[in-house]
């Protein structure tokens, strides 16, 4: 998947990387990988900003967050 430069700057930032590490240390599992289907963005937020916010909220919770990804919904084999 290609990620546009503005979103890549957020996704590859130290802030997001540290949140991912904290999430993994806290819950022993990885957080959902970024993709545009699950985090489409809107007029107020870029897709990567939505992802960063979801990750931050997940780290602050007391139990793991499981987001059902829809990235494979259009693939029919």
């Amino acid at each position: 998947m290609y990620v546009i430069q503005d979103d890549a700057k957020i996704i590859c930032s130290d802030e997001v990387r540290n949140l991912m590490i904290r999430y993994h240390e806290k819950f022993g599992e990885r957080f959902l990988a970024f993709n545009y289907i699950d985090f489409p963005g809107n007029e107020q937020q870029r897709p990567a900003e939505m992802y960063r916010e979801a990750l931050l909220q997940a780290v602050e919770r007391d139990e793991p967050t499981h987001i059902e990804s829809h990235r494979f919904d259009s693939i029919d084999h």
Side-chain angles (χ1 to χ4, degrees):
M1 172 183 69
Y2 291 100
V3 178
I4 62 172
Q5 188 174 15
D6 290 340
D7 288 328
K9 287 178 184 177
I10 296 169
I11 297 300
C12 297
S13 70
D14 289 339
E15 177 187 12
V16 170
R17 190 172 297 118
N18 288 331
L19 285 170
M20 291 177 131
I21 291 169
R22 286 178 50 202
Y23 183 88
H24 186 267
E25 288 173 348
K26 187 172 184 176
F27 300 116
E29 60 185 46
R30 296 179 70 184
F31 189 71
L32 176 72
F34 172 76
N35 65 72
Y36 287 106
I37 297 295
D38 297 325
F39 302 96
N42 56 39
E43 292 179 13
Q44 291 82 29
Q45 285 185 309
R46 301 200 52 75
E49 291 170 334
M50 290 179 98
Y51 180 79
R52 179 179 56 201
E53 185 176 308
L55 179 56
L56 177 60
Q57 290 174 359
V59 168
E60 293 173 348
R61 292 193 177 134
D62 291 332
E63 57 187 45
T65 300
H66 297 114
I67 300 170
E68 183 179 340
S69 178
H70 298 284
R71 65 181 149 200
F72 301 116
D73 289 356
S74 62
I75 299 173
D76 186 21
H77 290 282

